[in-house]
Amino acid sequence: MNEFYLTEDQQDCLQELINIAMGQASDQLARYLNTFVYLKVPSIESVDAKELMQTLSQQKNTMAVVSQGFFGYEGIRGEALLVYQEEDSGRIADLLGYEPDELSQDEQLIDISSILTTTFLNVFARQIDNQMSYNAPKLLPNVKDNLSEHLQQMPFSWDLALKVNINYQVTDYSFNCNMVLLIPETAIINIKNVLDRILAEF
Amino acid sequence: MSPSVLICDDSNMARKQVLRSLPEEWQGNVQTATNGAEALTILRNNEIEILFLDLTMPGIDGIGVLQGIKKLNITCNVFVISADIQPEMQSKVKALGAKEFIRKPVKQDVLLNNLQQHNLL
């Protein structure tokens, strides 16, 4: 399980790739919301499967999870989860300025999540000379009861989760969400090789 | 004479990316800072002609550095290099005195073009 031990240089390199990807995802979100999105340095941490299961099941106020699969070349694949807390999900409707009868709250969450996930992963992939395709995003029903089941039913066995803690502040509102990337071991090894390749250029 | 340069970014990789994009003969006259506070200290105590500045940093961020430069009346050509590419951010840093906004990851030709446009190359 220590496949994902990163050296200081690898960690710095990954953080920078993620910052760039996050910056463009915020830009997309800002355009979509027609407002300015204040971005903090996202913190990243890696957690193993067991740990993640525990963390997520302990978050009693987890309200919604939007899940979307991604596939690149060279065995890079995974599942991106966007995890929202209960107190933040209501604000998203305010944020979007939707009228109650326009789109359901579920659809709004899926919209926002997909913008964040696909922009983030597209930019990330481009930087590591890869290219992603995606499954349709889906909102997990009854997330409180079904999350661990969902995590166990992935079409691949994942060994590590990369948790990116994102905080977005949008003028009068702020909401937090966690982006959790579930990645199988082959993809981890590949990403590490790419990080080393980038670092070797310096 | 090569100009005195300061590169401020919390990422080691990003600092190296800027450094290796600069003309070879400039390399000996480059200082680096890993956060805004460090950058302001260097700017106060040295004559820096060109500052390459990241925005999203812990503690004093790039906006804080631009405000500090104004407040302390420091003369310096600031090029912001950032991943936060929202148009509003770009106009904000220019209003605060930055010469140009360069998006990350920085490309050598773009960086050199920007320097040329401001007669720094």
Side-chain angles (χ1 to χ4, degrees), chain A residues 9 12-13 16-17 19-20 23-24 26-27 30-31 35-41 198 201-202, chain B residues 9-14 16-17 20 56-58 61 83-89 103-105:
Chain A
D9 279 347
D12 175 65
C13 182
E16 185 62 8
L17 299 182
N19 287 352
I20 291 170
Q24 297 201 20
S26 326
D27 182 55
R31 283 165 203 269
T35 181
F36 182 73
V37 177
Y38 178 75
L39 179 65
K40 282 190 191 157
V41 183
I198 295 171
E201 285 171 25
F202 289 101
Chain B
D9 198 305
D10 55 329
S11 162
N12 181 32
M13 182 175 93
K16 282 186 184 165
Q17 244 164 358
R20 70 166 186 177
T56 322
M57 291 183 289
D61 61 7
D84 192 347
I85 54 167
Q86 298 176 65
E88 199 173 322
M89 188 54 105
R103 62 155 61 195
K104 278 187 175 182

Side-chain angles (χ1 to χ4, degrees), chain B residues 17-86:
Chain B
Q17 244 164 358
V18 176
L19 184 62
R20 70 166 186 177
S21 304
L22 297 175
E24 187 121 22
E25 61 274 21
W26 287 23
Q27 308 278 336
N29 207 1
V30 177
Q31 298 187 63
T32 55
T34 60
N35 58 59
E38 226 176 272
L40 284 172
T41 307
I42 295 173
L43 286 163
R44 258 199 302 260
N45 299 316
N46 302 267
E47 270 196 29
I48 300 291
E49 271 171 77
I50 302 172
L51 166 63
F52 297 103
L53 179 66
D54 180 30
L55 290 180
T56 322
M57 291 183 289
I60 298 180
D61 61 7
I63 295 295
V65 173
L66 285 168
Q67 287 163 341
I69 287 173
K70 258 194 148 161
K71 207 170 136 196
L72 299 164
N73 270 323
I74 294 169
T75 323
C76 178
N77 298 292
V78 185
F79 295 83
V80 166
I81 301 182
S82 175
D84 192 347
I85 54 167
Q86 298 176 65

Side-chain angles (χ1 to χ4, degrees), chain A residues 71-90:
Chain A
F71 312 83
Y73 309 130
E74 298 177 62
I76 290 197
R77 65 177 301 182
E79 187 84 13
L81 306 177
L82 278 190
V83 183
Y84 297 89
Q85 305 303 308
E86 198 146 47
E87 61 265 30
D88 287 323
S89 62

